[in-house]
Amino acid sequence: MTRSEENYLKAIFHLGGGDSKSITTNAIAEQMETKPSSVTDMAKKLSEKGLVDYVRYQGVSLTEAGVQTALSIIRKHRLWEVFLVKKLDFTWDEVHEVAEQLEHIKSEKLIDKIDELLDFPKYDPHGDPIPTKDGKFQERDEKLLSEMPINSKGVCVGVKDSSVPFLKFLDKNNIALGNTIQILDKEDFDNSLRIRMEGNEMRISHQIASNLFVKKNS
Amino acid sequence: MTRSEENYLKAIFHLGGGDSKSITTNAIAEQMETKPSSVTDMAKKLSEKGLVDYVRYQGVSLTEAGVQTALSIIRKHRLWEVFLVKKLDFTWDEVHEVAEQLEHIKSEKLIDKIDELLDFPKYDPHGDPIPTKDGKFQERDEKLLSEMPINSKGVCVGVKDSSVPFLKFLDKNNIALGNTIQILDKEDFDNSLRIRMEGNEMRISHQIASNLFVKKNS
DNA sequence: CATTTAATTTAGACAAAACGAAAAATAAAT
DNA sequence: ATTTATTTTTCGTTTTGTCTAAATTAAATG
């Protein structure tokens, strides 16, 4: 497995290619900030290796082997992110770039020991679930904050957009994973929300609310 | 800096190219398990970049910039080795291979935080000194065990050969860094030694003794 | 000092990964 | 059904790092 191959598998997975859905070369090229012609080349190569199903002009999807490989890389990425935050005091907007490098380190023992050191975390700093060693994915019962009904309560469990600017915005406004949020009111005009979070009332734009995952209190 | 360039600089340094001594392409090729012609190509490239001085048919030596770069890679390698042993319970014969990968991760903050997490260690698990952030090398006052006089005492501080078989041999015979060793006798015939280590008397071949660094008790 | 031997470099070729231009196939529109 | 537009692929080229084989230089030997 080369680094490049691993990055392609990861990108295809993130675009939904794990559910035997066909992903277009264009979509992959955009996700990876490369050119469609390069994607075609790699599609053939990965197809040769039995990691993707590729039909010309139809796009690619991951085979079972491809899914497992993608999950193992995502597992490493997210475990390293937890490590950086919990053990080295990185902030959640700093971890992605470094984890992009660390995810390619080849040593099964290393990642298992990191997992153990962190006490087998289930979620990464952005609230994304960490696949288990045998490639199982923990799905969560979560909704976007923007889709919660008025007066409902929930706990903030993840972000959809994990870009640096968004994460910094959340920090600045003291919005953190684990916070309890109650929807007080919705403004029809611009879809903004009035919420109570950890005691304080505040107003939140639709843009923000549609990028925050919340777990409904049952 | 590509991974390959970094590996060449490291190899040249380990062969003594840091002391403005010229290292032959053959020696570098052997150290890196590659071909002399490849070394020539890279020598030109590194020379272009001002990291080595290269004269055709004369070999290469590191420039000041080259030394600093080599030291920063060696620093990362050794810090990661300490991390693997101290935090993840790797044995000292397992760490090299993984550290060879980790040393190429590009993040100044990462390695500084690892350094801090480990409480700024001065030596790696094999007793090799860890360069400081500003590229200073801590030289040690040490001798090979084979060069110590009869009846002298010392503390085992490092290994010269850090190959897996040698390290496993040391483990099996309970020879560890930090142990106190006293030379009881030298056998002229085969240069083997009789020593007392942590209370026990034992016999050690010249081959072993000439790969163990000892710090003389003053 | 001439000649052999060993080390080193050059030249040409290859593989991986990427790109751009142009051709081919598909999808959309009329 | 045919034209038009878009997407995707093909093909030739580039870069990085490597190799083999041939040529060159330096060293060693008589």
Side-chain angles (χ1 to χ4, degrees):
Chain A
M1 275 276 95
T2 68
R3 185 161 306 221
S4 188
E5 286 170 347
E6 293 185 347
N7 285 332
Y8 273 96
L9 292 178
K10 201 173 42 135
I12 296 166
F13 184 92
H14 281 135
L15 290 166
D19 315 320
S20 63
K21 188 170 68 174
S22 246
I23 311 298
T24 67
T25 47
N26 245 4
I28 300 168
E30 190 170 346
Q31 167 93 6
M32 299 191 61
E33 299 186 348
T34 179
K35 304 295 166 189
S37 56
S38 309
V39 178
T40 302
D41 290 341
M42 186 55 86
K44 288 178 187 168
K45 193 177 169 194
L46 292 175
S47 175
E48 287 290 318
K49 294 199 174 190
L51 294 166
V52 304
D53 292 318
Y54 167 57
V55 191
R56 284 170 58 212
Y57 295 102
Q58 301 296 124
V60 299
S61 61
L62 296 174
T63 63
E64 186 51 34
V67 170
Q68 287 311 309
T69 309
L71 284 175
S72 93
I73 300 156
I74 290 166
R75 170 178 158 77
K76 286 193 275 183
H77 182 101
R78 294 183 179 165
L79 281 172
W80 278 115
E81 287 194 341
V82 176
F83 171 77
L84 293 172
V85 167
K86 297 280 188 197
K87 299 294 178 183
L88 303 186
D89 298 318
F90 276 59
T91 56
W92 67 343
D93 58 289
E94 292 174 321
V95 296
H96 183 74
E97 191 189 0
V98 184
E100 286 282 298
Q101 300 180 60
L102 287 164
E103 72 188 1
H104 298 293
I105 301 289
K106 281 165 184 57
S107 165
E108 195 165 344
K109 175 164 185 174
L110 174 59
I111 201 62
D112 288 347
K113 284 289 189 175
I114 289 283
D115 195 18
E116 184 186 333
L117 179 72
L118 299 169
D119 211 14
F120 311 104
K122 291 203 170 59
Y123 302 103
D124 80 6
H126 313 109
D128 295 313
I130 298 173
T132 60
K133 211 186 156 179
D134 52 323
K136 296 271 185 298
F137 221 134
Q138 341 229 352
E139 280 307 335
R140 284 178 314 182
D141 164 30
E142 68 189 13
K143 277 186 162 179
L144 288 175
L145 178 56
S146 55
E147 291 162 353
M148 297 274 286
I150 293 183
N151 267 322
S152 63
K153 266 191 178 178
V155 178
C156 193
V157 293
V159 294
K160 188 171 171 202
D161 171 7
S162 56
S163 69
V164 172
F166 183 55
L167 299 178
K168 288 200 160 154
F169 170 87
L170 296 179
D171 282 343
K172 201 159 52 192
N173 290 85
N174 294 312
I175 303 174
L177 302 196
N179 285 7
T180 297
I181 294 182
Q182 179 176 14
I183 318 280
L184 299 177
D185 202 8
K186 285 195 185 189
E187 177 58 64
D188 281 341
F189 174 62
D190 63 354
N191 283 311
S192 66
L193 303 178
R194 218 157 46 80
I195 64 172
R196 194 197 323 275
M197 190 181 69
E198 306 285 310
N200 304 321
E201 277 190 29
M202 56 193 294
R203 177 167 293 281
I204 267 186
S205 74
H206 178 71
Q207 159 117 56
I208 302 300
S210 60
N211 277 297
L212 273 177
F213 285 119
V214 173
K215 184 168 169 185
K216 211 192 316 202
N217 278 6
S218 52
Chain B
M1 277 274 97
T2 68
R3 184 159 309 221
S4 188
E5 287 169 347
E6 292 185 347
N7 285 331
Y8 274 96
L9 292 178
K10 199 173 43 136
I12 296 167
F13 185 90
H14 281 134
L15 290 166
D19 314 320
S20 64
K21 187 170 68 174
S22 246
I23 311 297
T24 67
T25 48
N26 245 6
I28 299 168
E30 189 170 348
Q31 167 94 5
M32 299 191 63
E33 299 186 345
T34 181
K35 304 294 167 192
S37 57
S38 308
V39 178
T40 301
D41 289 343
M42 186 56 85
K44 288 177 186 166
K45 194 177 168 194
L46 292 174
S47 176
E48 287 291 317
K49 294 199 174 191
L51 295 166
V52 305
D53 292 319
Y54 168 57
V55 190
R56 283 171 45 191
Y57 296 100
Q58 302 294 126
V60 299
S61 61
L62 296 174
T63 62
E64 187 51 35
V67 170
Q68 286 312 308
T69 308
L71 284 176
S72 95
I73 300 156
I74 290 165
R75 170 178 158 79
K76 287 194 273 182
H77 182 102
R78 294 183 178 165
L79 281 172
W80 278 116
E81 287 195 341
V82 176
F83 171 77
L84 294 172
V85 167
K86 296 280 188 199
K87 299 294 177 182
L88 303 186
D89 298 317
F90 276 58
T91 56
W92 68 343
D93 58 290
E94 291 174 321
V95 296
H96 183 74
E97 192 190 0
V98 184
E100 286 283 295
Q101 299 180 60
L102 287 163
E103 72 188 4
H104 298 292
I105 300 291
K106 281 165 184 55
S107 165
E108 194 165 345
K109 176 164 185 174
L110 174 59
I111 201 62
D112 288 346
K113 285 288 190 177
I114 289 284
D115 195 18
E116 183 185 336
L117 178 73
L118 299 170
D119 210 15
F120 310 104
K122 290 203 169 63
Y123 302 102
D124 80 7
H126 312 110
D128 294 314
I130 298 173
T132 61
K133 213 185 154 180
D134 53 323
K136 296 273 185 298
F137 222 132
Q138 341 231 349
E139 279 308 334
R140 284 178 313 182
D141 165 30
E142 68 191 9
K143 275 188 165 179
L144 287 175
L145 178 55
S146 55
E147 291 163 354
M148 297 275 285
I150 292 181
N151 267 321
S152 62
K153 266 189 176 179
V155 177
C156 192
V157 293
V159 294
K160 189 173 171 199
D161 171 6
S162 57
S163 69
V164 172
F166 183 55
L167 298 179
K168 287 199 161 155
F169 170 88
L170 296 179
D171 283 342
K172 202 159 53 192
N173 291 84
N174 295 312
I175 303 173
L177 302 196
N179 285 6
T180 298
I181 294 181
Q182 179 176 13
I183 318 279
L184 300 176
D185 203 6
K186 284 193 186 189
E187 176 58 64
D188 281 340
F189 174 61
D190 63 354
N191 282 310
S192 65
L193 302 178
R194 217 155 48 79
I195 63 172
R196 194 198 321 280
M197 189 181 68
E198 306 288 308
N200 306 319
E201 276 191 28
M202 57 193 294
R203 179 167 290 283
I204 268 185
S205 74
H206 178 71
Q207 157 116 58
I208 303 301
S210 60
N211 277 297
L212 274 177
F213 285 119
V214 174
K215 184 169 168 185
K216 211 191 320 199
N217 278 6
S218 51

Coordinates of all heavy atoms in Angstrom, one line a residue, chain A residues 105-110, chain B residues 3 10 77 80-81 84 90-104 126 162 164 167:
Chain A
I105 N 1.7 5.7 9.0 CA 2.8 4.9 9.7 C 2.4 3.4 9.7 O 1.3 3.1 10.1 CB 3.0 5.4 11.1 CG1 3.4 6.9 11.1 CG2 4.1 4.6 11.8 CD1 4.8 7.2 10.6
K106 N 3.3 2.6 9.3 CA 3.0 1.2 9.2 C 3.5 0.4 10.4 O 4.7 0.0 10.4 CB 3.5 0.6 7.9 CG 2.6 1.0 6.7 CD 3.2 0.8 5.4 CE 2.2 1.3 4.3 NZ 1.8 2.7 4.5
S107 N 2.7 0.1 11.4 CA 3.0 -0.7 12.5 C 1.7 -1.0 13.3 O 1.1 -0.2 13.9 CB 4.0 0.0 13.4 OG 4.1 -0.7 14.7
E108 N 1.3 -2.3 13.2 CA 0.1 -2.6 13.9 C 0.2 -2.5 15.4 O -0.7 -2.0 16.0 CB -0.3 -4.1 13.5 CG -1.7 -4.4 13.9 CD -2.2 -5.7 13.2 OE1 -1.5 -6.2 12.2 OE2 -3.2 -6.3 13.6
K109 N 1.4 -2.9 15.9 CA 1.6 -2.8 17.3 C 1.5 -1.3 17.8 O 0.9 -1.1 18.8 CB 3.0 -3.3 17.7 CG 3.3 -3.2 19.1 CD 4.5 -4.1 19.5 CE 4.7 -3.9 21.0 NZ 5.7 -4.9 21.5
L110 N 2.1 -0.4 17.0 CA 2.1 1.0 17.4 C 0.6 1.5 17.6 O 0.3 2.0 18.6 CB 2.8 1.8 16.3 CG 2.7 3.3 16.5 CD1 3.3 3.8 17.8 CD2 3.4 4.1 15.3
Chain B
R3 N 11.7 12.6 1.9 CA 12.1 11.5 2.8 C 13.4 11.0 2.4 O 14.3 10.7 3.2 CB 11.0 10.4 2.7 CG 11.2 9.3 3.6 CD 9.9 8.6 3.7 NE 8.8 9.5 4.1 CZ 7.9 9.2 5.0 NH1 7.8 8.1 5.6 NH2 7.0 10.2 5.3
K10 N 21.1 11.7 6.9 CA 21.3 10.9 8.1 C 22.4 9.9 7.9 O 23.3 9.8 8.8 CB 20.0 10.2 8.4 CG 19.8 9.7 9.8 CD 18.4 9.2 10.1 CE 17.9 8.3 9.0 NZ 17.2 7.1 9.4
H77 N 14.2 10.9 15.5 CA 14.3 9.5 15.6 C 14.5 9.0 17.0 O 13.8 8.1 17.5 CB 15.5 9.0 14.7 CG 15.7 7.5 14.7 ND1 15.3 6.7 13.6 CD2 16.2 6.6 15.6 CE1 15.6 5.5 13.9 NE2 16.2 5.4 15.1
W80 N 11.5 9.7 19.4 CA 10.4 8.7 19.1 C 10.8 7.3 19.7 O 9.9 6.6 20.3 CB 10.1 8.6 17.6 CG 9.2 9.6 17.1 CD1 9.5 10.6 16.1 CD2 7.8 9.9 17.4 NE1 8.5 11.4 15.9 CE2 7.4 11.0 16.6 CE3 6.9 9.2 18.2 CZ2 6.1 11.5 16.7 CZ3 5.6 9.7 18.3 CH2 5.2 10.8 17.5
E81 N 12.0 7.0 19.7 CA 12.4 5.7 20.3 C 12.2 5.7 21.8 O 11.6 4.7 22.3 CB 13.9 5.4 20.0 CG 14.2 5.0 18.6 CD 15.6 4.4 18.4 OE1 16.5 4.6 19.3 OE2 15.8 3.7 17.4
L84 N 8.4 5.3 22.3 CA 7.9 4.0 22.1 C 8.2 3.1 23.3 O 7.4 2.3 23.7 CB 8.5 3.4 20.8 CG 8.1 4.1 19.5 CD1 8.9 3.5 18.4 CD2 6.6 3.9 19.3
F90 N 7.3 -0.7 24.2 CA 8.1 -1.4 23.1 C 9.4 -1.8 23.8 O 9.9 -1.2 24.7 CB 8.4 -0.5 21.9 CG 7.3 -0.4 20.9 CD1 6.1 0.0 21.2 CD2 7.6 -0.7 19.6 CE1 5.1 0.1 20.3 CE2 6.6 -0.7 18.6 CZ 5.3 -0.2 19.0
T91 N 10.0 -2.9 23.3 CA 11.3 -3.3 23.7 C 12.4 -2.6 22.9 O 12.1 -2.1 21.8 CB 11.5 -4.8 23.6 OG1 11.3 -5.2 22.3 CG2 10.6 -5.5 24.5
W92 N 13.6 -2.5 23.4 CA 14.6 -1.7 22.7 C 15.0 -2.2 21.4 O 15.7 -1.6 20.6 CB 15.8 -1.3 23.6 CG 16.7 -2.5 24.0 CD1 16.4 -3.8 23.9 CD2 18.0 -2.4 24.5 NE1 17.4 -4.5 24.4 CE2 18.4 -3.7 24.8 CE3 18.8 -1.3 24.9 CZ2 19.7 -4.0 25.3 CZ3 20.1 -1.6 25.4 CH2 20.5 -2.9 25.6
D93 N 14.7 -3.5 21.1 CA 15.0 -4.0 19.8 C 13.9 -3.8 18.8 O 14.0 -4.1 17.6 CB 15.4 -5.5 19.9 CG 14.2 -6.3 20.5 OD1 14.0 -6.1 21.7 OD2 13.6 -7.1 19.8
E94 N 12.8 -3.3 19.2 CA 11.6 -3.1 18.3 C 11.5 -1.7 17.8 O 10.8 -1.5 16.8 CB 10.3 -3.4 19.0 CG 10.1 -4.9 19.4 CD 8.8 -5.0 20.2 OE1 8.5 -4.2 21.1 OE2 8.1 -6.0 20.0
V95 N 12.2 -0.8 18.4 CA 11.9 0.6 18.2 C 12.4 1.2 16.9 O 11.9 2.1 16.3 CB 12.3 1.5 19.3 CG1 11.6 1.2 20.6 CG2 13.8 1.4 19.6
H96 N 13.6 0.7 16.4 CA 14.3 1.3 15.3 C 13.4 1.4 14.1 O 13.3 2.5 13.5 CB 15.5 0.6 15.0 CG 16.3 1.2 13.9 ND1 17.1 2.4 14.1 CD2 16.5 0.9 12.6 CE1 17.6 2.8 13.0 NE2 17.3 1.9 12.1
E97 N 12.8 0.3 13.7 CA 12.0 0.2 12.4 C 10.9 1.3 12.4 O 10.7 2.0 11.4 CB 11.5 -1.2 12.3 CG 10.9 -1.5 11.0 CD 10.1 -2.9 11.0 OE1 10.1 -3.5 12.1 OE2 9.5 -3.2 10.0
V98 N 10.2 1.4 13.5 CA 9.1 2.3 13.6 C 9.6 3.7 13.6 O 9.0 4.6 13.0 CB 8.2 2.0 14.8 CG1 7.0 2.9 14.8 CG2 7.7 0.6 14.8
A99 N 10.7 4.0 14.4 CA 11.2 5.3 14.5 C 11.7 5.8 13.1 O 11.7 7.0 12.8 CB 12.3 5.4 15.5
E100 N 12.1 4.9 12.3 CA 12.6 5.2 10.9 C 11.4 5.9 10.1 O 11.7 6.7 9.2 CB 13.0 4.0 10.1 CG 14.3 3.4 10.6 CD 15.5 4.2 10.0 OE1 15.7 4.2 8.8 OE2 16.2 4.8 10.8
Q101 N 10.2 5.5 10.4 CA 9.1 6.1 9.8 C 8.7 7.4 10.5 O 8.5 8.4 9.8 CB 7.9 5.2 9.8 CG 8.1 3.9 9.1 CD 6.8 3.0 9.2 OE1 5.8 3.4 8.7 NE2 7.0 1.8 9.8
L102 N 8.6 7.4 11.8 CA 8.2 8.5 12.6 C 9.1 9.7 12.4 O 8.6 10.9 12.5 CB 8.0 8.1 14.1 CG 6.8 7.2 14.4 CD1 7.0 6.6 15.7 CD2 5.5 8.0 14.3
E103 N 10.4 9.5 12.2 CA 11.3 10.6 12.2 C 11.0 11.5 11.0 O 11.6 12.6 11.0 CB 12.7 10.0 12.0 CG 13.0 9.4 10.7 CD 14.4 8.7 10.6 OE1 15.1 8.6 11.6 OE2 14.7 8.2 9.5
H104 N 10.2 11.1 10.1 CA 10.0 12.0 8.9 C 8.7 12.8 9.0 O 8.4 13.5 8.1 CB 9.9 11.1 7.6 CG 11.2 10.4 7.3 ND1 12.4 11.1 7.0 CD2 11.5 9.1 7.4 CE1 13.3 10.2 6.8 NE2 12.8 9.0 7.1
H126 N 19.1 3.1 23.4 CA 20.4 2.4 23.2 C 21.5 3.2 23.8 O 22.7 2.8 23.6 CB 20.6 2.2 21.7 CG 19.4 1.6 21.0 ND1 18.7 2.4 20.1 CD2 18.8 0.4 21.1 CE1 17.7 1.6 19.7 NE2 17.7 0.4 20.2
S162 N 23.6 -1.8 17.5 CA 22.2 -1.8 18.0 C 21.3 -2.7 17.2 O 20.1 -2.4 17.0 CB 21.6 -0.4 18.2 OG 21.6 0.3 16.9
V164 N 19.1 -6.0 16.2 CA 18.2 -6.8 16.9 C 18.8 -8.0 17.6 O 18.6 -8.2 18.8 CB 17.0 -7.2 16.0 CG1 16.1 -8.2 16.8 CG2 16.2 -6.0 15.6
L167 N 20.9 -6.9 20.7 CA 20.0 -6.4 21.8 C 19.3 -7.6 22.5 O 19.1 -7.6 23.7 CB 19.0 -5.4 21.2 CG 19.6 -4.1 20.6 CD1 18.6 -3.2 20.1 CD2 20.5 -3.4 21.6

